[in-house]
Amino acid sequence: MATLAELKSQGIKWFGEVGAWACDEWKILNDTFFDGKNKPGAIIWGSTLQGDSLGYYHLSENLIYLHKNLMRPIYPTTDFKWGIRHLNKRVASDVLLHEMIHQRVNQTGGWVGETSHNNERFVEEVNRIAGVLGMDIKARVIKQTTTRNKPTWNIEPGCLTLKELSDFPYSSRTRNYYYNQR
Ligand SMILES: [Zn+2]
């Protein structure tokens, strides 16, 4: 297994400053939210992810993919420019944190349930991390019931929807959070 230092120099070789940033940010998030216990893997900047997702975690390879569109200001614009100056750091950090939850779950026994988001392990991590972030939210596994042959998803009162669960933590940030850039 590659060390974080090795992964960082590889990241710099492949992606320059954004590669270095991703490794440094991963370390900060690991120390802040996971007691430094996630095992590091390569972080790849690319453009071909599933759907409109900005991040992806590859289970068997322990790889995190980040979308190059994160190097685009959140103000309405179509300008994409490669480079650390254009990186939307707060959004990118939250996307990275989300993928690190998948990393954590995977590295501590995996999950059983409906999807990689709607399961006890992921939900437990969301609640724990929301607590660290001081977010006043609650997540529960969303269960399906069938009434008159129609399946419905039952979201317990005050709990995150499936979409919010799948988009944690960005779904739960305050409206202005991403506009107050570092
Ligand atoms: Zn996810």
Side-chain angles (χ1 to χ4, degrees), residues 7-158:
L7 291 165
K8 186 175 172 180
S9 61
Q10 192 181 58
I12 292 169
K13 203 163 84 184
W14 290 345
F15 308 108
E17 286 174 303
V18 290
W21 178 88
C23 266
D24 291 343
E25 191 67 15
W26 183 93
K27 169 88 167 67
I28 293 166
L29 295 172
N30 195 29
D31 290 341
T32 308
F33 297 102
F34 303 98
D35 290 329
K37 285 179 184 156
N38 274 20
K39 296 178 197 80
I43 300 169
I44 309 289
W45 289 88
S47 57
T48 49
L49 300 176
Q50 297 177 330
D52 56 1
S53 171
L54 291 169
Y56 176 72
Y57 176 64
H58 194 295
L59 292 177
S60 55
E61 307 280 338
N62 190 30
L63 291 175
I64 291 174
Y65 288 89
L66 295 176
H67 202 291
K68 64 180 175 62
N69 276 353
L70 288 164
M71 281 174 276
R72 176 188 290 200
I74 41 174
Y75 310 103
T77 175
T78 52
D79 297 343
F80 159 77
K81 289 199 178 90
W82 185 270
I84 193 78
R85 277 195 307 127
H86 308 286
L87 182 62
N88 197 323
K89 291 191 181 120
R90 282 197 165 178
V91 180
S93 179
D94 274 356
V95 172
L96 186 56
L97 177 56
H98 177 97
E99 300 314 325
M100 288 177 74
I101 301 175
H102 288 303
Q103 188 171 50
R104 168 68 142 216
V105 168
N106 184 49
Q107 291 178 352
T108 53
W111 57 273
V112 179
E114 200 240 334
T115 66
S116 63
H117 298 120
N118 194 24
N119 65 75
E120 294 291 350
R121 295 293 319 286
F122 192 87
V123 162
E124 179 188 24
E125 285 294 300
V126 165
N127 284 317
R128 188 180 65 74
I129 288 166
V132 180
L133 288 169
M135 286 174 172
D136 186 21
I137 60 155
K138 194 168 62 177
R140 291 261 172 82
V141 171
I142 300 160
K143 298 199 171 87
Q144 197 180 39
T145 52
T146 308
T147 320
R148 292 193 209 98
N149 294 325
K150 274 193 187 149
T152 49
W153 294 100
N154 288 308
I155 299 150
E156 291 188 41

